[in-house]
Amino acid sequence: MPVSWPRALGIAALGAALALLPAHVLYGFTVDDALIPARYATHVARGLGYRWNAHGPITDAVTPLGFPYLLTPFAARGPLDALVAAKLLGLLAWTAAAALLAVTIDRASSSRARWSALVMLPASAPLAAWSVAGLETGLATALVSIAVCLVALGRGWSAVFPLGLAAALRPELLPFVLVVAITPPPGERMRLGRVDVFRAALAAAPFFLVVAIRLAVFGRPTPLAVLAKPSDPWLGAKYALACFLLTGPLALVAPRALLRTTPFVRGLVLAVAVHFAAVAVAGGDWMPLSRLVVPVLPAVILAAAHLASVADARMTAARVALALAGELFVMIKIGPVAARVGADRTALVRELGPALEGARVVASLDAGWVGAATEANIVDLAGLTDPAIAALPGGHTTKRIAPAMLDARGVDTLVLLLAPGARVETPWTASIFDRGVEARIARFPDMASSFVVTAESRVPGLPYVVLRRRADATRDVTGEAP
């Protein structure tokens, strides 16, 4: 089919606009973990190296190894500036990929029904929010989108590079990448010859290169997050099911249409199914808005467009309507709350930052925003940046921290989160805390006499408390008074 450049540019502009509009609405979304690579980038920019703490050891706290280096040129003034750069990088990458996705759908067939799938793009809160969250998800999503579009356009070898980068950024994408790498373009039969195996091996190579680097530098093949957040396949299965119902894959439940469509579409649907299974095995995720399945949602939209071209119009309308219902539920129910996260985190940094001045070592479960608020050493109670804590029993909010560990690290400041609706009691150790490790710390011996409340957050819904160690309460590592 000859290319009509005016039409292609118009369709590309439409795809970009459909991605930009919801991203603009949800631009305020982020997560605390986004400030972890931002702090690493700040230290690299200041010549301190790839470190969580300025004078601490090199640690593997960022799942997409090397991602902080992309932010380094913008990070000299601090983590918040690095976060802004990460948000814009994700937004630009996803907007460009959405433009290509729209052009690819336009070339999928001559059926008008193909456009029904594109309405899923602006309705997706996960796609929009994670493109601007400040993590690598926006980049991974753009890379996957570009790759599946290249395969759809008959350029399978060109897809190898973005597929490999996507798997290097997000390890759980490897099974998806392998399936897409052997999927034939429209019009060709499915085959698994030596060329296809070689293409899949090339696509997987960046993933294994990252594994090798991790083994050489950090002594383990996986990032600290895997150790800090133990996998629970049962929770992962529930997570994957919820994502399936709410993010759009319902539009692919079309058995008859799948039998009539091309091997390309069947391969794309299989790749999506394999990815959801991989996410379930990985144990899901604690972050909101279906983060782990977001990178494959462009493949869902592209496959749905192809299916709409061969399926019964009424069945297509019903499937797309079900998919949209799930997406709109998330957009309406969670979208407004998600859009306020960034502003709330910035407010915390500005409000409680002064209370952390002079601190040398701060312990907190929410290391991201705390690390943006102070240059002090941060003891990450979740273990995401700390190998010793990551290896402790418990989940990332219930690590079995011992009193001697806080003393050995020289912790002089605590930042703890109260439970919703709770307030600081007298003594403060009688307060109700939100997470297990914080409640555990409050039960340590002599905590009420060793630490005093110096500040409380007034940010709605985020009742953090800052506690400083009394000058006369210093203990040695055995927990005994000197």
Side-chain angles (χ1 to χ4, degrees), residues 16 19-27 84-98 127-135 137-139 142:
L20 276 172
L21 179 61
H24 172 72
V25 173
L26 295 173
Y27 186 79
V84 171
K87 290 168 74 71
L88 291 175
L89 182 64
L91 177 61
L92 290 173
W94 167 231
T95 301
L127 271 173
W130 282 106
S131 71
V132 296
L135 282 173
T137 311
L139 283 178

Side-chain angles (χ1 to χ4, degrees), residues 27 45 49 67 77 116 148 185 190 210 220 261 278 295 312 326 347 355 358 375 379 399 402 422 430 449 464:
Y27 186 79
F67 178 64
R77 290 171 44 182
S116 62
V148 296
M190 176 68 79
V210 169
R220 63 174 62 85
T261 192
D312 176 80
E375 291 292 330
V379 175
K399 293 296 183 184
S449 59
Y464 285 92

